[in-house]
Amino acid sequence: MLISDSLVHAARVRPSHLAVVDDRISLTYSHLLERVNRLANALREGLGLDVGDRFGLLSANRAEFVEAYYAAGSSRLVCVPLNYRLAAPELSGIARDADLRVIIVEPGFEDVVDRMRESGLDCPTVRLSGPMGEGEYEALLSRSSAAVREEPAADSEPVLQIYTSGTTGTPKGVMISHRNTIANGWHMLAEGATTREDRHLTTMPLCHLGAGSRVFLNVHATATHVIHPRFDPERMIIALADGTADTAVTVPAMLSDLLAEARRQRASLHGKVRRLLYGAAPMPQDLLTEALSTLGCDFQQTYGLTEAGPNLTVLPPEDHLPDSHGNHPSRLSSVGRQTSGVEVRVVDRDDAEVAVGEVGEIIARGPNIMEGYWRRPEATAETLRGGWLRTGDLGRLGEDSYLYLVDRKKDMLISGGFNVYPREIECVLEIHPDVIEVAVTGKPHERWGEVPVAFVVAEPGAGREALESALREVCGSRLAAFKSPKSYR
Ligand code: AMP
């Protein structure tokens, strides 16, 4: 099965049901299918891309993400969603690594593209529509055929290539295929993560698989996908309160902002939301219990990672319910159990399963696990050793198979739901001539979960304040804001 099969199915059984709604357009399933076919033909014929070529998408959330993800599948191309929060040199590094043939760009990011060109980008761009009118994207679509592309493909062919950094400091492209997204979609449907009546709200960046996988899941379920360009707690509350949307995915930092905004507005969301999913970073228990009583809806936690396509475990709504004394079960501090279709184990250094309750590395296998890292056979072989994905997370399994995350083996911190790899920041700081040695680590932060802190050994005579401000400037121009150290010691 290919991803286009599920879109064709949705358009056949619910042609006039709303598929995608953003700030500019509303598309029914039949309209979405037509635009996806046009884009697929435009990419292959209009722009001349060949099977296996990569194209980028640099934009805040909007309906075209759904079109681009499905058109990649229908045209045997690979979409590389670019995280717009990254700095221009980081983005050009990714564009170079992926050999991007073209980048679809939202108006407003032209200056980023100009700076990417200064750091070596030399591929054409296609502009999306914006306040100033229609872009080349719409013109391309209207010139292209709406016929379905009849080209056999293997379900192991990648559809998305999503970049995650790592301990080497260089981002790697995680290849997610048709079968990976379809499997993840079925697993999450089996866990009840969505229903065909859902109006699912996305406010998290669709370039990240935590939110991006919902694109496929919603189509599998023939649900409606409501897309906000960015997380804006005020708008999110309105959309949930007035029934525009009834399910959403959040990360802890967002949930905390959402509750604060609801208090500020004195808005009652109680009973308005059907289900709230959360994950991506450790959830503070106080925040979760406050959210449970404020929202009074089903909560579902997921744990996973980009390489897993992304979901591995689920903590279902019933495990969030208090007992008859009003106490929440201890399993609320777990990330739940393996989803249907996925096997999760905890192993020691020799890959032997550890006893129940003992800590080891979490490994997993299933049809949702990535095909590999683009052009990095060694890293792929290491991460998928023996057919099991090494998550780099440390955890323990309870008697009842609930998984508890304990720590991370990989050198990584999570700030506001985004992964930050200290090595990547150290590589940037080390370039400064007054830096002898540097180590970056995470420190707990009430709002963001963790923030990066840099420990620097400076050349004798280097002025402390001058060096700190020079390092802040270097990080500001070369790294995304969420990666820049918040303090220097
Ligand atoms: P990413 O590849 O960006 O999705 O990040 C994956 C990493 O985020 C995992 O390896 C975990 O360290 C962390 N993570 C994902 N889900 C959870 C969760 N529910 N609770 C705590 N940490 C999580």
Side-chain angles (χ1 to χ4, degrees):
M1 188 178 173
L2 304 177
I3 57 166
S4 47
D5 296 324
S6 71
L7 179 58
V8 168
H9 168 79
R12 184 169 298 150
V13 300
R14 292 186 107 181
S16 47
H17 188 67
L18 260 190
V20 190
V21 184
D22 73 2
D23 287 353
R24 304 180 61 257
I25 44 175
S26 300
L27 300 173
T28 62
Y29 271 105
S30 67
H31 198 182
L32 174 64
L33 177 62
E34 185 204 315
R35 285 177 59 90
V36 165
N37 288 339
R38 284 185 190 279
L39 179 60
N41 289 317
L43 288 162
R44 287 291 298 280
E45 266 111 53
L47 296 169
L49 271 61
D50 284 329
V51 172
D53 278 348
R54 269 80 179 143
F55 66 94
L57 175 59
L58 178 63
S59 171
N61 290 345
R62 50 191 278 162
E64 285 87 345
F65 268 87
V66 183
E67 296 174 359
Y69 286 6
Y70 275 92
S74 305
S75 58
R76 303 187 66 200
L77 300 171
V78 185
C79 180
V80 181
L82 298 166
N83 185 350
Y84 60 84
R85 289 168 182 249
L86 299 184
E90 296 176 288
L91 290 168
S92 3
I94 291 174
R96 241 190 330 272
D97 185 81
D99 261 346
L100 293 185
R101 295 284 315 278
V102 64
I103 305 181
I104 301 172
V105 181
E106 179 172 60
F109 289 107
E110 290 89 351
D111 57 329
V112 179
V113 174
D114 287 347
R115 276 183 275 130
M116 286 170 75
R117 294 214 184 282
E118 283 162 22
S119 26
L121 177 77
D122 69 349
C123 78
T125 55
V126 170
R127 207 167 13 96
L128 291 168
S129 304
M132 306 303 280
E134 285 199 349
E136 297 113 11
Y137 182 91
E138 286 305 322
L140 257 176
L141 255 58
S142 51
R143 280 202 304 273
S144 301
S145 153
V148 180
R149 293 190 66 80
E150 303 284 358
E151 213 176 350
D155 66 359
S156 56
E157 286 180 19
V159 175
L160 294 184
Q161 185 161 306
I162 299 198
Y163 278 78
T164 69
S165 296
T167 40
T168 52
T170 343
K172 298 189 284 283
V174 175
M175 292 186 289
I176 300 291
S177 64
H178 291 268
R179 74 169 159 211
N180 299 154
T181 61
I182 289 168
N184 187 72
W186 288 125
H187 299 165
M188 294 307 283
L189 274 182
E191 299 292 341
T194 190
T195 73
R196 67 199 301 271
E197 295 319 322
D198 276 5
R199 294 180 301 282
H200 181 81
L201 176 64
T202 289
T203 64
M204 279 166 53
L206 283 166
C207 57
H208 186 271
L209 206 53
S213 60
R214 286 303 300 211
V215 165
F216 305 105
L217 182 53
N218 291 332
V219 173
H220 279 319
T222 68
T224 298
H225 199 166
V226 181
I227 297 176
H228 283 183
R230 296 178 168 78
F231 171 58
D232 171 347
E234 208 177 322
R235 278 197 70 188
M236 186 166 176
I237 286 175
I238 295 170
L240 293 172
D242 72 9
T244 307
D246 59 1
T247 65
V249 181
T250 60
V251 300
M254 284 170 64
L255 193 57
S256 152
D257 282 3
L258 192 73
L259 295 183
E261 180 61 26
R263 276 194 302 272
R264 197 188 66 76
Q265 284 186 24
R266 297 178 197 277
S268 171
L269 286 177
H270 206 272
K272 301 279 187 190
V273 184
R274 198 183 66 73
R275 176 169 293 194
L276 210 70
L277 292 100
Y278 65 94
M283 172 63 93
Q285 292 298 292
D286 293 355
L287 176 61
L288 183 55
T289 37
E290 185 195 346
L292 283 164
S293 70
T294 307
L295 297 170
C297 68
D298 279 358
F299 274 75
Q300 186 171 39
Q301 182 182 186
T302 59
Y303 154 71
L305 56 164
T306 308
E307 285 87 338
N311 301 120
L312 293 176
T313 68
V314 163
L315 184 73
E318 55 272 25
D319 285 334
H320 289 75
L321 298 178
D323 62 18
S324 53
H325 306 291
N327 298 323
H328 285 287
S330 59
R331 59 182 59 150
L332 206 55
S333 60
S334 78
V335 293
R337 294 191 270 200
Q338 63 185 31
T339 63
S340 97
V342 177
E343 280 177 87
V344 171
R345 288 188 186 163
V346 176
V347 297
D348 64 18
R349 278 174 212 276
D350 303 319
D351 277 356
E353 264 189 277
V354 299
V356 165
E358 273 180 35
V359 175
E361 182 174 9
I362 301 164
I363 64 171
R365 70 176 174 189
N368 51 309
I369 307 289
M370 68 164 178
E371 300 296 334
Y373 295 115
W374 164 245
R375 290 183 173 165
R376 286 197 172 59
E378 281 167 20
T380 303
E382 175 54 28
T383 306
L384 299 180
R385 195 160 22 102
W388 290 82
L389 169 71
R390 318 278 138 174
T391 63
D393 290 315
L394 297 175
R396 63 182 167 80
L397 282 168
E399 289 287 353
D400 40 15
S401 298
Y402 283 80
L403 179 67
Y404 294 80
L405 295 189
V406 175
D407 201 350
R408 281 171 227 131
K409 193 175 156 191
K410 51 194 172 194
D411 192 10
M412 181 188 97
L413 57 123
I414 305 181
S415 196
F418 281 108
N419 293 356
V420 177
Y421 291 88
R423 188 67 206 124
E424 205 179 357
I425 306 165
E426 288 161 5
C427 287
V428 169
L429 295 172
E430 276 163 8
I431 299 169
H432 196 283
D434 283 344
V435 170
I436 299 177
E437 266 187 305
V438 59
V440 173
T441 183
K443 112 174 166 183
H445 189 273
E446 203 179 327
R447 173 140 195 248
W448 302 116
E450 290 172 285
V451 289
V453 179
F455 291 83
V456 179
V457 179
E459 285 290 350
R464 197 189 179 289
E465 275 173 26
L467 181 57
E468 180 171 332
S469 87
L471 295 179
R472 280 190 193 279
E473 204 177 309
V474 169
C475 288
S477 64
R478 300 177 61 134
L479 295 170
F482 64 86
K483 297 180 190 172
S484 292
K486 298 297 166 280
S487 61
Y488 289 82
R489 310 266 173 85

Short mmCIF file of all heavy atoms in Angstrom, two decimals, residues 289-311:
data_model
loop_
_atom_site.label_atom_id
_atom_site.label_comp_id
_atom_site.label_asym_id
_atom_site.label_seq_id
_atom_site.Cartn_x
_atom_site.Cartn_y
_atom_site.Cartn_z
N THR A 289 -1.76 17.04 36.13
CA THR A 289 -2.97 16.93 36.96
C THR A 289 -3.80 18.21 36.86
O THR A 289 -5.03 18.15 36.82
CB THR A 289 -2.65 16.58 38.44
OG1 THR A 289 -1.46 17.25 38.82
CG2 THR A 289 -2.46 15.12 38.65
N GLU A 290 -3.13 19.36 36.74
CA GLU A 290 -3.90 20.60 36.56
C GLU A 290 -4.67 20.56 35.23
O GLU A 290 -5.84 20.92 35.15
CB GLU A 290 -2.96 21.82 36.59
CG GLU A 290 -3.73 23.13 36.54
CD GLU A 290 -2.88 24.34 36.19
OE1 GLU A 290 -1.63 24.25 36.23
OE2 GLU A 290 -3.48 25.39 35.85
N ALA A 291 -3.98 20.10 34.18
CA ALA A 291 -4.62 20.03 32.85
C ALA A 291 -5.80 19.07 32.87
O ALA A 291 -6.85 19.35 32.29
CB ALA A 291 -3.59 19.60 31.81
N LEU A 292 -5.63 17.95 33.58
CA LEU A 292 -6.72 16.96 33.63
C LEU A 292 -7.96 17.58 34.25
O LEU A 292 -9.07 17.41 33.75
CB LEU A 292 -6.28 15.74 34.47
CG LEU A 292 -5.34 14.76 33.75
CD1 LEU A 292 -4.66 13.83 34.75
CD2 LEU A 292 -6.11 13.94 32.73
N SER A 293 -7.77 18.35 35.34
CA SER A 293 -8.98 18.90 35.98
C SER A 293 -9.51 20.12 35.21
O SER A 293 -10.70 20.32 35.13
CB SER A 293 -8.73 19.21 37.45
OG SER A 293 -7.88 20.31 37.54
N THR A 294 -8.62 20.91 34.61
CA THR A 294 -9.10 22.10 33.88
C THR A 294 -9.85 21.71 32.61
O THR A 294 -10.88 22.31 32.28
CB THR A 294 -7.91 23.00 33.47
OG1 THR A 294 -7.16 23.27 34.63
CG2 THR A 294 -8.37 24.29 32.83
N LEU A 295 -9.32 20.74 31.89
CA LEU A 295 -9.91 20.42 30.58
C LEU A 295 -10.96 19.32 30.65
O LEU A 295 -11.86 19.25 29.82
CB LEU A 295 -8.81 20.04 29.59
CG LEU A 295 -7.80 21.16 29.30
CD1 LEU A 295 -6.62 20.64 28.51
CD2 LEU A 295 -8.47 22.28 28.52
N GLY A 296 -10.79 18.44 31.64
CA GLY A 296 -11.78 17.36 31.81
C GLY A 296 -12.02 16.56 30.55
O GLY A 296 -13.15 16.20 30.24
N CYS A 297 -10.95 16.32 29.80
CA CYS A 297 -11.12 15.55 28.55
C CYS A 297 -10.22 14.32 28.58
O CYS A 297 -9.48 14.12 29.52
CB CYS A 297 -10.78 16.43 27.35
SG CYS A 297 -9.03 16.84 27.25
N ASP A 298 -10.31 13.53 27.53
CA ASP A 298 -9.40 12.39 27.41
C ASP A 298 -7.99 12.89 27.15
O ASP A 298 -7.79 13.77 26.31
CB ASP A 298 -9.80 11.53 26.20
CG ASP A 298 -10.94 10.59 26.53
OD1 ASP A 298 -11.38 10.59 27.70
OD2 ASP A 298 -11.38 9.88 25.61
N PHE A 299 -7.03 12.33 27.85
CA PHE A 299 -5.62 12.63 27.60
C PHE A 299 -4.94 11.37 27.11
O PHE A 299 -5.23 10.28 27.60
CB PHE A 299 -4.92 13.11 28.89
CG PHE A 299 -5.08 14.58 29.11
CD1 PHE A 299 -6.28 15.10 29.55
CD2 PHE A 299 -4.03 15.46 28.85
CE1 PHE A 299 -6.44 16.47 29.74
CE2 PHE A 299 -4.18 16.81 29.03
CZ PHE A 299 -5.38 17.33 29.48
N GLN A 300 -4.06 11.52 26.16
CA GLN A 300 -3.31 10.36 25.67
C GLN A 300 -1.86 10.78 25.46
O GLN A 300 -1.60 11.77 24.76
CB GLN A 300 -3.92 9.89 24.34
CG GLN A 300 -3.32 8.60 23.82
CD GLN A 300 -4.10 8.06 22.63
OE1 GLN A 300 -4.56 8.81 21.78
NE2 GLN A 300 -4.25 6.76 22.57
N GLN A 301 -0.96 10.05 26.08
CA GLN A 301 0.46 10.39 25.89
C GLN A 301 1.09 9.45 24.87
O GLN A 301 0.75 8.28 24.81
CB GLN A 301 1.23 10.25 27.22
CG GLN A 301 2.69 10.64 27.04
CD GLN A 301 3.56 10.49 28.28
OE1 GLN A 301 4.71 10.88 28.29
NE2 GLN A 301 3.01 9.94 29.34
N THR A 302 1.98 10.00 24.06
CA THR A 302 2.76 9.13 23.17
C THR A 302 4.24 9.38 23.43
O THR A 302 4.64 10.47 23.83
CB THR A 302 2.49 9.45 21.68
OG1 THR A 302 2.84 10.82 21.44
CG2 THR A 302 1.06 9.21 21.29
N TYR A 303 5.01 8.33 23.24
CA TYR A 303 6.47 8.46 23.31
C TYR A 303 7.02 7.88 22.00
O TYR A 303 6.53 6.85 21.52
CB TYR A 303 7.03 7.69 24.51
CG TYR A 303 8.47 7.24 24.32
CD1 TYR A 303 9.52 8.16 24.33
CD2 TYR A 303 8.77 5.89 24.08
CE1 TYR A 303 10.83 7.75 24.12
CE2 TYR A 303 10.08 5.48 23.88
CZ TYR A 303 11.10 6.41 23.89
OH TYR A 303 12.40 6.01 23.68
N GLY A 304 7.99 8.55 21.45
CA GLY A 304 8.61 8.03 20.24
C GLY A 304 9.72 8.96 19.80
O GLY A 304 10.16 9.81 20.57
N LEU A 305 10.16 8.81 18.59
CA LEU A 305 11.20 9.67 18.05
C LEU A 305 11.10 9.67 16.53
O LEU A 305 10.45 8.79 15.96
CB LEU A 305 12.60 9.27 18.53
CG LEU A 305 13.15 7.88 18.32
CD1 LEU A 305 14.66 7.91 18.54
CD2 LEU A 305 12.54 6.91 19.33
N THR A 306 11.71 10.66 15.91
CA THR A 306 11.62 10.80 14.46
C THR A 306 11.95 9.47 13.78
O THR A 306 11.23 9.02 12.88
CB THR A 306 12.59 11.90 13.98
OG1 THR A 306 12.35 13.07 14.75
CG2 THR A 306 12.40 12.21 12.51
N GLU A 307 13.02 8.83 14.23
CA GLU A 307 13.48 7.59 13.60
C GLU A 307 12.45 6.47 13.71
O GLU A 307 12.54 5.46 13.02
CB GLU A 307 14.79 7.11 14.25
CG GLU A 307 16.03 7.90 13.85
CD GLU A 307 16.27 9.13 14.73
OE1 GLU A 307 15.30 9.62 15.36
OE2 GLU A 307 17.42 9.60 14.78
N ALA A 308 11.48 6.62 14.61
CA ALA A 308 10.47 5.58 14.81
C ALA A 308 9.18 5.89 14.05
O ALA A 308 8.21 5.16 14.19
CB ALA A 308 10.17 5.40 16.28
N GLY A 309 9.16 6.96 13.33
CA GLY A 309 8.06 7.28 12.43
C GLY A 309 6.73 7.82 12.96
O GLY A 309 5.79 7.77 12.21
N PRO A 310 6.52 8.36 14.17
CA PRO A 310 7.44 8.45 15.29
C PRO A 310 7.01 7.64 16.53
O PRO A 310 7.74 7.58 17.49
CB PRO A 310 7.34 9.94 15.63
CG PRO A 310 5.90 10.28 15.41
CD PRO A 310 5.44 9.37 14.28
N ASN A 311 5.83 7.01 16.53
CA ASN A 311 5.29 6.54 17.82
C ASN A 311 5.68 5.12 18.23
O ASN A 311 5.61 4.20 17.41
CB ASN A 311 3.76 6.67 17.82
CG ASN A 311 3.32 8.11 17.58
OD1 ASN A 311 2.62 8.39 16.62
ND2 ASN A 311 3.76 9.03 18.41
#
